[in-house]
Amino acid sequence: MTLLPRWWPRGRFPSELPTQDRIFQVSPEVGLLTKCHWQPCPSQHPTILMVHGLEGCTESHYMRGLARKCWDAGWNCIRINQRNCGGSEHLTPTLYHNGLSQDYARIIQEITEEDRCTAVWLIGYSMGGNLALKLAGEHGTTLPSLRGVAAVCPNIQPAACVRALQHPSNWLYHRYFLKSLTAKLRKKARLFPGRWDLSHLSHIRTMWEFDEIYTAPDGGYRGAENYYEQSAARNTLSSITIPTLVITAQDDPFIPYHMFADPALDANPFIQLEAPAHGGHCGFLQRHYKYEDPFWAENRLCDWIHARLNSA
């Protein structure tokens, strides 16, 4: 379930879908590269913001698949690259991490004020899901245009997820993420000489070590453990007061299901949890059904937004 959807045939991304490359300047030094798909008269349509997971980008299969479904539903959609992702390393001197929820609050503010988009929905996958939930708990009541958030396989307790990722049974995923992050840091160092000491890279063997030496200090944290604790969306779950959907699989290899047995989540009437027994990490393939493709989570996300819009 985790691996197969990446290669499952989806058909070509529709060339007729209008695409605008847009950089949101969330601070004087930091720009986020996005792919915007605007309906005619954008202010008259709901707008769906999408945030990918660790080492993903706007071109990740689930980002493209969900964007097409949202466009077909008559909604604007914006695929967002997190800092340094999708070839945007030159747009910021910083690394990206689990705590940067303010980046997406700034995008919501800009499209509300400049594009008159007053019905915004934020969807995040994995690390992007943690960011979406964190934002909802921190800013939900101060962002009137944010109508709801959804998170697919969110790493709401990053420390537990990194420990699971480093389990021997997950060596393939762990190796992929660590190799990709290492290569990205080397590219960043060429763009911003002298900012990072790369002499440690050859000795790093785990994600925890990478975050301890590079991610945490770059983000202003005392170390990996402090970074994981401070950036965890579980800290803000009880503060969420807008419609929220969490989709996770009980067999996700590195998002432990026990994290979701959280009183803050169970007791919050604004949060709906969907946790099928199978689905892997952001996979969720299903049999073909009439009017639906095999990508179960994408279909459920669209159904959920439709239901909220109809009830409103």
Side-chain angles (χ1 to χ4, degrees), residues 2-20:
T2 301
L3 295 173
L4 187 57
R6 182 173 182 176
W7 291 282
W8 195 274
R10 284 181 177 265
R12 299 182 66 180
F13 198 64
S15 57
E16 69 275 10
L17 196 155
T19 303
Q20 174 196 34

Side-chain angles (χ1 to χ4, degrees), residues 200-220:
H200 304 287
L201 276 181
S202 60
H203 306 292
I204 289 177
R205 295 293 179 268
T206 67
M207 284 285 297
W208 194 293
E209 292 172 347
F210 184 92
D211 287 338
E212 176 75 23
I213 296 172
Y214 293 110
T215 310
D218 190 79

Side-chain angles (χ1 to χ4, degrees), residues 101-228:
S101 49
Q102 72 271 15
D103 284 2
Y104 311 100
R106 182 65 192 90
I107 290 178
I108 293 170
Q109 290 169 344
E110 181 171 329
I111 64 173
T112 301
E113 295 168 3
E114 297 188 10
D115 302 286
R116 300 293 185 263
C117 296
T118 57
V120 179
W121 302 79
L122 177 63
I123 298 175
Y125 283 80
S126 194
M127 179 181 178
N130 182 81
L131 288 160
L133 294 172
K134 186 172 182 290
L135 180 146
E138 293 170 340
H139 300 286
T141 57
T142 62
L143 294 170
S145 61
L146 181 60
R147 303 298 178 84
V149 302
V152 180
C153 299
N155 60 331
I156 60 172
Q157 295 182 30
C161 297
V162 172
R163 290 190 186 100
L165 185 63
Q166 294 175 174
H167 191 275
S169 62
N170 286 323
W171 69 269
L172 180 65
Y173 308 118
H174 183 246
R175 181 177 179 273
Y176 167 77
F177 286 126
L178 189 57
K179 184 177 180 181
S180 184
L181 284 167
T182 298
K184 182 169 287 181
L185 183 59
R186 292 189 186 279
K187 183 177 181 179
K188 287 286 292 184
R190 291 192 294 270
L191 292 168
F192 300 93
R195 186 174 177 91
W196 298 278
D197 178 4
L198 301 186
S199 64
H200 304 287
L201 276 181
S202 60
H203 306 292
I204 289 177
R205 295 293 179 268
T206 67
M207 284 285 297
W208 194 293
E209 292 172 347
F210 184 92
D211 287 338
E212 176 75 23
I213 296 172
Y214 293 110
T215 310
D218 190 79
Y221 300 97
R222 294 192 302 272
E225 191 166 355
N226 177 251
Y227 158 52
Y228 297 146

